[in-house]
Amino acid sequence: MKLQPLSPLFGTRIEDVDLSQDLDNDTFAAIEKAYNARSVILFRNQKITDAQHVRFSRRLGELEIHVLREFVKPVHPELYVLSNIVENGKPIGIKDAGNYWHTDLSYTKVPSRGSIMYSIEVPHKDGVPLGDTQFASTAAAYNALSETMKQKLAGLKAVHRFWDRYLRERKAAGSDVVISDERRAQTPDVVQPVIRTHPFTGQKCIYVNEGFTVGIVDMPEDESRDLLKELYAHCTRPEFTYRHKWQVGDVVMWDNCATLHRATVDFALPQRRLMQRTTLKGTEVF
Ligand code: OGA
Ligand code: MN
């Protein structure tokens, strides 16, 4: 197994692993170790079935079934489909799963540990892939904070909320979707620490994101807005980011504690994009 950095501070490409196989324990342990340490792992040229995608993901623990049930696969509901493809008048997946910096499920009490995304169709223009995914290391960003800032942030908490962003995005995309109170009640606001500790490495990470964080608890509105803005800008400084250009057959696993990510929506039909991902269950944030 060969490991190569994707960027200086985080991200690793692993070669010579075939995810369609039932991996032996040593190989799997080496992958998990790299994943925890490097936050984003890339495997290229994979060819996996739905069942194999789920089987590999299950090695990392239990899986989530996404709250947007219309975009999960019927036979394997652990697989959430991201696509702009429409079949029989119906979208087969979520069209833009996050054109803004976020971490998955930060708006739930126990957010997901990470996701494992498999690319099946990648849009292109003039031979250049479109629909890149950017990642930012909130661990590297934390390490680079001044001591004063680290102290200021320690103990602060922030509110995270799902539907605000979801509705804003859908409306911007021309949708007139309405969310029932019942559905809204499935994802009430949650409060998370602004600095969280990685459950496997103990590394401290900045845990706010422009997607779902709506404010800092017990802080005046404008002060909270300014502080969040400063943190978002800090986390996404070029030296803490990696931009992934997709190839068909890529499997990318990311860590939702130690990274933020953002989709790039720079393509449209007939340029087709089809991805599917599993979502790893996480543990209580601390
Ligand atoms: C996701 C996500 C980004 C992308 O699946 O959670 O944000 O580029 N995807 O599709
Ligand atoms: Mn996401």
Side-chain angles (χ1 to χ4, degrees):
M1 189 164 124
K2 246 174 54 199
L3 279 69
Q4 260 177 20
L6 292 172
S7 78
L9 293 175
F10 74 112
T12 290
R13 174 176 171 187
I14 297 182
E15 286 174 67
D16 305 325
V17 169
D18 177 355
L19 297 178
S20 72
Q21 301 302 305
D22 199 2
L23 303 175
D24 62 70
N25 288 338
D26 286 352
T27 304
F28 175 74
I31 293 172
E32 186 170 26
K33 187 170 164 221
Y35 174 51
N36 286 331
R38 298 287 295 174
S39 314
V40 176
I41 299 293
L42 166 66
F43 303 91
R44 290 229 123 127
N45 307 312
Q46 300 295 315
K47 200 164 174 42
I48 51 174
T49 62
D50 289 356
Q52 289 163 348
H53 190 169
V54 171
R55 179 180 64 186
F56 171 66
S57 305
R58 283 284 290 132
R59 296 284 292 266
L60 288 133
E62 271 186 75
L63 305 179
E64 299 268 359
I65 298 186
H66 203 275
V67 290
L68 296 174
R69 292 290 147 89
E70 57 268 48
F71 300 132
V72 304
K73 289 198 138 178
V75 177
H76 292 287
E78 303 91 342
L79 292 170
Y80 178 58
V81 179
L82 295 90
S83 187
N84 65 339
I85 300 170
V86 178
E87 269 169 14
N88 304 319
K90 261 178 65 185
I92 65 165
I94 185 156
K95 194 169 155 208
D96 39 80
N99 186 19
Y100 45 83
W101 289 104
H102 67 279
T103 70
D104 300 324
L105 304 186
S106 78
Y107 49 83
T108 61
K109 183 121 189 18
V110 183
S112 89
R113 173 179 176 191
S115 276
I116 304 179
M117 191 145 104
Y118 177 45
S119 107
I120 301 162
E121 290 189 60
V122 177
H124 278 85
K125 185 171 193 265
D126 305 327
V128 177
L130 302 172
D132 298 350
T133 306
Q134 285 177 278
F135 295 92
S137 172
T138 55
Y142 176 83
N143 292 342
L145 290 172
S146 67
E147 280 313 310
T148 323
M149 192 56 154
K150 284 180 183 166
Q151 270 164 32
K152 176 177 171 176
L153 299 177
L156 290 184
K157 292 185 186 312
V159 176
H160 295 241
R161 182 179 298 158
F162 180 50
W163 295 110
D164 275 25
R165 170 62 77 163
Y166 179 78
L167 286 170
R168 225 179 306 144
E169 295 294 322
R170 297 281 88 72
K171 287 214 169 97
S175 157
D176 52 5
V177 66
V178 177
I179 302 298
S180 67
D181 288 348
E182 189 195 341
R183 238 179 142 191
R184 204 179 276 273
Q186 287 168 3
T187 49
D189 286 1
V190 298
V191 171
Q192 314 277 25
V194 169
I195 303 302
R196 70 176 283 196
T197 307
H198 195 282
F200 298 96
T201 64
Q203 165 71 47
K204 286 202 164 75
C205 303
I206 299 175
Y207 198 61
V208 290
N209 68 82
E210 72 177 15
F212 305 118
T213 310
V214 297
I216 310 254
V217 176
D218 292 335
M219 188 179 277
E221 174 83 36
D222 51 346
E223 200 185 317
S224 157
R225 195 178 336 104
D226 290 350
L227 178 57
L228 288 172
K229 236 174 122 180
E230 184 182 340
L231 291 176
Y232 301 153
H234 175 74
C235 287
T236 58
R237 272 162 47 180
E239 62 269 38
F240 308 140
T241 65
Y242 162 69
R243 184 179 189 111
H244 186 63
K245 293 199 162 294
W246 291 93
Q247 288 180 8
V248 170
D250 282 353
V251 171
V252 172
M253 19 194 310
W254 65 80
D255 182 315
N256 277 322
C257 172
T259 60
L260 295 163
H261 61 274
R262 169 165 82 166
T264 313
V265 185
D266 57 357
F267 58 92
L269 288 172
Q271 297 160 322
R272 289 158 57 108
R273 187 177 198 253
L274 175 58
M275 308 271 173
Q276 63 185 32
R277 70 159 227 237
T278 53
T279 311
L280 309 175
K281 264 210 172 108
T283 43
E284 202 89 34
V285 177
F286 59 94

